[in-house]
């Protein structure tokens, strides 16, 4: 298992969760903390907030509890947010990363 530097993603690297064990560990903790939160727009809220620090009003109205937790600063998301920032210019990587997170949310 490798621990690649986030700034080395570039424009052609492919996403593989095994390359980012710290991100995976952090996501595991976040998902454990959110397990009791209702599912309404849960995947979308989590990804949107981690990626851009934004949440659509429609989603906030449907799941205010999750919106509150995501914006409270109580979750440790440094590795997740850093990886999103590092892959801004690699659309394929970013889309696969988003799919990975959404697939893990329950």
């Amino acid at each position: 298992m490798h621990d690649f530097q986030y700034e080395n993603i570039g424009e052609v690297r492919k996403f593989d969760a095994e390359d980012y064990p710290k991100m995976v560990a952090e996501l595991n903790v976040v998902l454990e903390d959110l397990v009791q939160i209702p599912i309404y727009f849960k995947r979308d809220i989590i990804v949107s907030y981690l990626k851009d620090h934004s949440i659509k009003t429609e989603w906030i109205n449907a799941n205010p509890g999750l919106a509150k937790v995501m914006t409270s600063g109580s979750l440790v998301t440094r590795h997740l947010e850093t990886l999103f920032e590092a892959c801004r210019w690699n659309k394929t990587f970013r889309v696969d990363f988003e799919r990975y997170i959404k697939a893990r949310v329950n």
Side-chain angles (χ1 to χ4, degrees):
M1 201 172 354
H2 307 299
D3 191 14
F4 289 106
Q5 297 299 316
Y6 298 130
E7 58 271 4
N8 293 339
I9 290 172
E11 294 180 15
V12 295
R13 183 178 203 90
K14 303 287 187 211
F15 175 75
D16 184 346
E18 290 184 18
D19 291 338
Y20 304 96
K22 291 179 182 178
M23 177 279 297
V24 171
E26 191 173 85
L27 181 60
N28 289 340
V29 172
V30 167
L31 296 178
E32 284 177 27
D33 290 346
L34 300 177
V35 74
Q36 298 299 321
I37 300 285
I39 193 70
Y40 311 112
F41 296 104
K42 193 173 188 177
R43 291 173 180 92
D44 297 314
I45 291 171
I46 292 169
V47 168
S48 182
Y49 189 77
L50 292 173
K51 181 171 64 173
D52 296 318
H53 280 219
S54 69
I55 305 171
K56 290 182 180 181
T57 303
E58 170 190 358
W59 301 344
I60 293 170
N61 292 338
N63 199 337
L66 178 55
K68 183 177 181 178
V69 171
M70 291 303 297
T71 60
S72 71
S74 64
L75 299 173
V76 176
T77 58
R78 181 176 64 93
H79 292 285
L80 290 155
E81 291 181 60
T82 300
L83 190 53
F84 267 118
E85 184 60 34
C87 72
R88 288 247 180 246
W89 309 115
N90 185 330
K91 183 177 180 180
T92 301
F93 186 103
R94 188 180 70 247
V95 168
D96 289 346
F97 181 33
E98 290 176 20
R99 284 186 189 136
Y100 170 78
I101 293 172
K102 287 182 177 184
R104 299 277 322 277
V105 174
N106 53 24

